[in-house]
Amino acid sequence: MSVDPGVGSDQSVPAAHIDCLTGLPDRQAALRLVQEQVRHARSHGVPLALLWIDVDRFETVNYSVGHAGGDQLVLETARRVRNAFRDWGDLARLGADEFLLVLPGATRATSAQVAQNLLEVMLEPVPIEGFTVRRTVSIGIALLNDPNESPGDFLLRADKAKAVAKRRGGNTYAQSGEPQIDEGFSLAREELEIEALLLRAMNHRCVGLHYQPIVRIDGSLDAVEGLLRCTIDGKTIPPGQLIPVAEKTGLIHRLGAITMMEGIRTACRLRAAGLELKVAVNVSRAQLLEEDFLPDLHAALACTDLSPQFLELELTESMFLDTAAIVQRNIAGAVDCGVRLAIDDFGTGYSSLATLKDVPATKLKLDKSFIDVLPDDEKALAVVKAMTGLGHELGMTVVAEGVETEAQSRCLGEIGVDALQGYFFARPMPIEEIFKWVASTRGQIHVYI
Ligand code: C2E
Ligand code: CA
Ligand code: CA
């Protein structure tokens, strides 16, 4: 398969130097092209710019959708660059996921504008083998200025500028010669490592949920919350590190589908064991931005005979107040299909309390930061009382998160909170252990009030 014949724009390139996947000039042909253009620019006294374009995290596409998928992504990248600049410049393929755009006549300002346009056209997701792949690019720009510089060194400057763009985290461009800011270097590297680990973990079924009980004040069990656990090569990546990377790279959709399905299966297993327990699953904003969210939820529920009210989705307060239409449609659709919604980490957002009246949640989870300082902090006590009262007024069940001590448990009971969750009762544990833990409580947990 190759891109349309218009892609390989230079008819003078010998067939041996045409890349057979894309139909573009290959690396060697690109070098010759740069030599010619440098000669031409110098003799006519006109500017010349090189843009070195490199797909971010390309290797992870190969991991997740295989080499055929990788080829598709390369083709699509070539097609988009070509379409954006059909009548201008030459495009060549330098390596697996690297391209060179040679722009005669381009100044510093124009090449920056071109790079910005390219970043934008790349943002559109690419459907590959049933997955929606989002890939950004990093672009390095070099402008011809030194009359004695060799074409090879000119190219090298574009390559180095591209490396700077990568170190800034990708999805950006850098110009050769500009001050090189290296902040974010370790972050980008760490993110790449996490992304690769997460991909392998998903492919090897090393991601799953652990469950933490939510205990009612009367000592009965209300629900278990599924919390993501990922261990691969002896390394455990905490969800706090994993989720942001998954969101940034688009992996959150596969991850969300995994956690949703596992949560639903667990709810079915609990029901089959005679336990009427809800299972809560955390949902991130990136999931709610997807058109597929509702169809996936319906499909996951349809695969089992679980009554939807046994599934609870935990969303932070800012998601409920999100102005994106798709987020609101997904939230309303989830309510329509009968699943319960909970407001997670309540009190940490900046929403006005008045807006809460319109939130279709049945549960309010008070953030751990308020509970940590109980019972001594009188101001926190007053806030927890007020939030509990408000939750009740709005007909919601109020849960306190992160309960670690008997004193906190007593205090929250006195305030009138409905249920508690925290290490004081149990840490998150694998599903088999949850069954044992539930059996050991014989249906009654000691809440100390
Ligand atoms: P969260 O939803 O607020 O989950 C509660 C976090 O507090 C969990 O951390 C839990 O292990 C921890 N925790 C519970 N009780 C106590 C306690 O008594 N003391 C202390 N110190 N910690 C307690 P974890 O598992 O590390 O998860 C962190 C966050 O990552 C979660 O906060 C949630 O926002 C996110 N997360 C976890 N799993 C998923 C998931 O499957 N999908 C999404 N989108 N986010 C997830
Ligand atoms: Ca949660
Ligand atoms: Ca929480």
Side-chain angles (χ1 to χ4, degrees):
M1 185 170 36
S2 77
V3 250
D4 62 82
V7 163
S9 59
D10 192 340
Q11 300 302 314
S12 65
V13 177
H17 291 302
I18 293 290
D19 167 57
C20 48
L21 175 68
T22 57
L24 292 171
D26 69 4
R27 192 180 185 93
Q28 267 191 320
L31 290 176
R32 244 199 326 275
L33 201 75
V34 173
Q35 284 167 350
E36 280 162 21
Q37 291 291 349
V38 165
R39 237 192 335 264
H40 181 267
R42 282 191 177 137
S43 62
H44 291 77
V46 290
L48 174 67
L50 300 182
L51 272 71
W52 192 302
I53 304 160
D54 185 321
V55 179
D56 295 327
R57 304 182 180 93
F58 178 69
E59 61 284 11
T60 54
V61 176
N62 280 340
Y63 266 132
S64 58
V65 289
H67 287 276
D71 282 355
Q72 273 185 49
L73 182 68
V74 167
L75 271 173
E76 183 57 22
T77 307
R79 199 183 60 75
R80 288 185 191 183
V81 180
R82 194 67 270 170
N83 284 350
F85 304 99
R86 191 164 275 284
D87 301 322
W88 187 21
D90 290 294
L91 182 65
R93 186 177 182 202
L94 294 174
D97 60 332
E98 300 188 64
F99 299 90
L100 183 74
L101 186 59
V102 184
L103 293 180
T107 59
R108 179 170 285 271
T110 355
S111 46
Q113 186 58 55
V114 167
Q116 188 57 46
N117 285 351
L118 283 177
L119 293 176
E120 278 159 28
V121 299
M122 293 302 161
L123 283 180
E124 189 68 18
V126 188
I128 292 178
E129 318 244 312
F131 292 104
T132 305
V133 177
R134 273 160 229 273
R135 272 298 169 267
T136 52
V137 293
S138 295
I139 304 172
I141 306 173
L143 289 143
L144 189 67
N145 42 26
D146 179 350
N148 297 315
E149 187 179 46
S150 73
D153 286 347
F154 181 30
L155 249 178
L156 195 62
R157 280 197 294 119
D159 188 11
K160 282 186 176 162
K162 181 262 303 176
V164 172
K166 283 251 171 221
R167 287 208 293 277
R168 290 178 185 166
N171 192 24
T172 190
Y173 66 87
Q175 299 233 17
S176 167
E178 73 185 49
Q180 299 192 355
I181 312 151
D182 274 357
E183 90 233 356
F185 174 64
S186 60
L187 181 65
R189 255 210 10 217
E190 193 187 320
E191 284 178 347
L192 277 172
E193 275 165 23
I194 292 175
E195 184 187 18
L197 280 174
L198 175 58
L199 263 167
R200 282 204 304 124
M202 287 199 294
N203 291 340
H204 292 89
R205 296 178 182 273
C206 294
V207 289
L209 296 177
H210 279 197
Y211 298 89
Q212 187 180 33
I214 299 174
V215 181
R216 289 194 198 98
I217 283 297
D218 67 6
S220 63
L221 266 177
D222 171 49
V224 290
E225 177 180 359
L227 292 155
L228 189 67
R229 293 295 177 264
C230 171
T231 302
I232 183 130
D233 301 341
K235 261 191 212 163
T236 298
I237 321 165
Q241 277 183 23
L242 212 130
I243 304 288
V245 173
E247 286 185 332
K248 232 171 161 174
T249 55
L251 290 175
I252 191 73
H253 306 298
R254 235 176 109 192
L255 200 59
I258 292 173
T259 53
M260 188 75 78
M261 202 58 229
E262 190 181 326
I264 290 175
R265 278 208 203 96
T266 296
C268 291
R269 280 183 66 182
L270 290 165
R271 296 270 297 139
L275 299 164
E276 294 236 329
L277 276 181
K278 290 186 284 275
V279 173
V281 173
N282 290 282
V283 174
S284 92
R285 178 173 185 265
Q287 288 172 266
L288 292 180
L289 283 170
E290 276 297 294
E291 293 287 350
D292 286 342
F293 178 80
L294 280 180
D296 284 355
L297 177 63
H298 288 147
L301 284 167
C303 287
T304 63
D305 56 0
L306 182 73
S307 164
Q309 85 246 23
F310 288 102
L311 179 67
E312 198 161 64
L313 304 182
E314 294 197 1
L315 279 59
T316 57
E317 54 184 299
S318 58
M319 294 191 223
F320 284 103
L321 308 172
D322 201 296
T323 51
I326 177 72
V327 171
Q328 291 310 322
R329 270 207 308 280
N330 281 333
I331 291 176
V335 172
D336 284 347
C337 84
V339 303
R340 308 276 184 107
L341 301 182
I343 310 178
D344 205 358
D345 306 337
F346 185 67
T348 56
Y350 297 95
S351 53
S352 120
L353 291 183
T355 51
L356 263 190
K357 69 179 188 344
D358 304 318
V359 167
T362 51
K363 186 179 269 183
L364 188 66
K365 298 187 79 179
L366 306 179
D367 190 68
K368 178 176 180 302
S369 55
F370 298 102
I371 314 307
D372 279 344
V373 292
L374 294 184
D376 300 330
D377 187 325
E378 287 179 8
K379 286 186 178 161
L381 196 67
V383 173
V384 170
K385 272 186 193 162
M387 293 193 297
T388 305
L390 179 71
H392 285 160
E393 289 291 323
L394 296 171
M396 298 184 204
T397 303
V398 179
V399 179
E401 294 186 307
V403 179
E404 292 183 344
T405 66
E406 180 184 334
Q408 288 168 347
S409 176
R410 267 188 218 285
C411 169
L412 289 159
E414 280 162 18
I415 289 172
V417 164
D418 305 289
L420 310 172
Q421 177 182 8
Y423 294 173
F424 180 62
F425 302 99
R427 290 186 176 245
M429 50 193 140
I431 181 68
E432 286 70 25
E433 281 180 40
I434 271 286
F435 276 108
K436 286 186 209 150
W437 185 86
V438 172
S440 74
T441 64
R442 298 201 191 89
Q444 196 61 29
I445 301 138
H446 202 169
V447 185
Y448 291 100
I449 56 166

